Amino acid sequence: MSEQEEALLEDVERFQKTFLAVRQEIRKILVGQDEVITSLLEALVARGHVLVEGVPGIGKTLVLRLISSVTGCKFSRI
């Protein structure tokens, strides 16, 4: 394996550990929303946009505030 491939593999492993750590930190507070958490983090990594819809009281704002807090991103509602 070349040095470039080894460096890429290290980057992927570091990213995976960070992704899992962020997800685990969010799961400490928000229970039972694993699919939502993972999808939102994937969108964040892909630099995409997400429209979060749902009935009141299901924790939409909470999950987004948690993700922004854990990742160091800015949170605001529009």
Side-chain angles (χ1 to χ4, degrees), residues 5-34:
E5 290 172 330
E6 287 179 16
L8 180 60
L9 184 58
E10 288 175 13
D11 288 344
V12 169
E13 289 173 355
R14 187 173 36 252
F15 170 79
Q16 183 180 24
K17 286 179 184 178
T18 304
F19 186 89
L20 294 174
V22 167
R23 192 171 68 178
Q24 189 63 32
E25 194 66 28
I26 295 167
R27 291 164 92 188
K28 288 179 182 178
I29 297 173
L30 193 66
V31 179
Q33 298 289 332
D34 294 338

Side-chain angles (χ1 to χ4, degrees), residues 6 19 37 45 52 55:
E6 287 179 16
F19 186 89
I37 293 167
V45 169
V52 181
V55 297

